[in-house]
Amino acid sequence: MRTLIIDHPLVDHKLAVLRDKTTPSVVFRQLVEELVTLLAYEATRDVRVEDVEIETPLTTMTARKLTRPRPVVVPILRAGLGMLEGMSKLLPTAEIGFLGMKRDETTLEAITYANRLPEDLSGRQCFVLDPMLATGGTLIASINYLLERGAHDVTAVCICAAPEGLTALEDAIGDKANVTIVVAALDDHLNENGYIVPGLGDAGDRLYGVVD
Ligand code: URA
């Protein structure tokens, strides 16, 4: 497993505004989209391309274009949905799959409550969107789910990660597939309720408000 912590002043700036507890939902949603577009640029560095012959107004040439099968982008509901627009901007031809996971707030274990994904993911590059890599439970369950369907190349795009979550992911996934984690910031620790500190609070609530 590979972890890329993105070092860019615009990422730092947008993240600072996201972390601020006074930032309203409407601004939060817009900034998540912008931030994810920056992360997506790094996350797609190894996206597969092929040579194609094209004609420019002046000549013909061999250029490179995204190849088939199309990549699959998988937002983890609900908070990952807020990242979809930013990712789709860079990968508009990707197929979108959905995985509904939530964590049991007592055990902190991930529970799958919905899925809409291609049955066979062999040969597909998968991009998982989940803003908060906290205990790692949701991401481990999601990545394992994709690997069980034949995926071998998975990149997770996250906004904040806790060291505890990254260690759990490394222990669970190791080198069993080509897995990359792209994250805007590695934070300090998890608190006793499983929240990332300093973090930005509950990403789903900050994006969409509290739903009980
Ligand atoms: N999920 C969140 O939304 N925030 C955290 O800090 C941890 C998990």
Side-chain angles (χ1 to χ4, degrees):
M1 189 185 99
R2 207 161 56 109
T3 303
L4 297 179
I5 301 164
I6 304 305
D7 181 15
H8 191 291
L10 289 179
V11 168
D12 293 346
H13 173 82
K14 290 176 198 304
L15 185 55
V17 185
L18 288 176
R19 290 187 192 277
D20 187 332
K21 67 177 185 182
T22 64
T23 299
S25 274
V26 61
V27 178
F28 193 92
R29 280 199 293 272
Q30 178 63 35
L31 279 171
V32 166
E33 183 183 327
E34 292 172 14
L35 177 60
V36 171
T37 303
L38 295 173
L39 300 180
Y41 179 74
E42 287 300 333
T44 52
R45 193 166 280 285
D46 294 325
V47 72
R48 279 195 289 271
V49 288
E50 63 182 353
D51 286 351
V52 289
E53 292 304 310
I54 60 162
E55 243 180 275
T56 77
L58 302 179
T59 185
T60 56
M61 68 170 285
T62 306
R64 293 196 299 166
K65 277 190 169 178
L66 292 181
T67 188
R68 288 190 169 256
R70 293 184 290 162
V72 184
V73 174
V74 185
I76 309 300
L77 306 179
R78 126 182 110 123
L81 214 46
M83 302 171 77
L84 181 57
E85 203 52 42
M87 190 75 196
S88 305
K89 278 218 163 87
L90 291 201
L91 276 183
T93 56
E95 205 170 319
I96 317 288
F98 294 94
L99 208 42
M101 296 245 172
K102 61 178 184 178
R103 62 175 184 173
D104 181 315
E105 292 298 338
T106 316
T107 63
L108 302 183
E109 302 247 317
I111 306 165
T112 309
Y113 66 87
N115 99 71
R116 190 73 203 262
L117 283 168
E119 277 301 322
D120 181 10
L121 289 170
S122 42
R124 310 288 297 265
Q125 284 182 299
C126 298
F127 294 89
V128 178
L129 309 178
D130 194 8
M132 308 303 277
L133 201 180
T135 61
T138 306
L139 212 47
I140 292 168
S142 311
I143 292 172
N144 278 331
Y145 203 92
L146 300 177
L147 299 185
E148 278 160 24
R149 291 191 172 206
H152 200 73
D153 185 343
V154 180
T155 300
V157 182
C158 306
I159 295 177
C160 294
E164 295 89 333
L166 276 180
T167 303
L169 211 54
E170 180 70 56
D171 291 347
I173 307 291
D175 287 328
K176 77 177 169 190
N178 180 15
V179 172
T180 304
I181 311 297
V182 175
V183 63
L186 176 58
D187 277 12
D188 195 57
H189 66 279
L190 280 185
N191 72 10
E192 60 287 1
N193 298 318
Y195 278 85
I196 299 175
V197 181
L200 47 77
D202 186 303
D205 288 354
R206 296 213 51 202
L207 281 160
Y208 303 118
V210 183
V211 183
D212 283 323

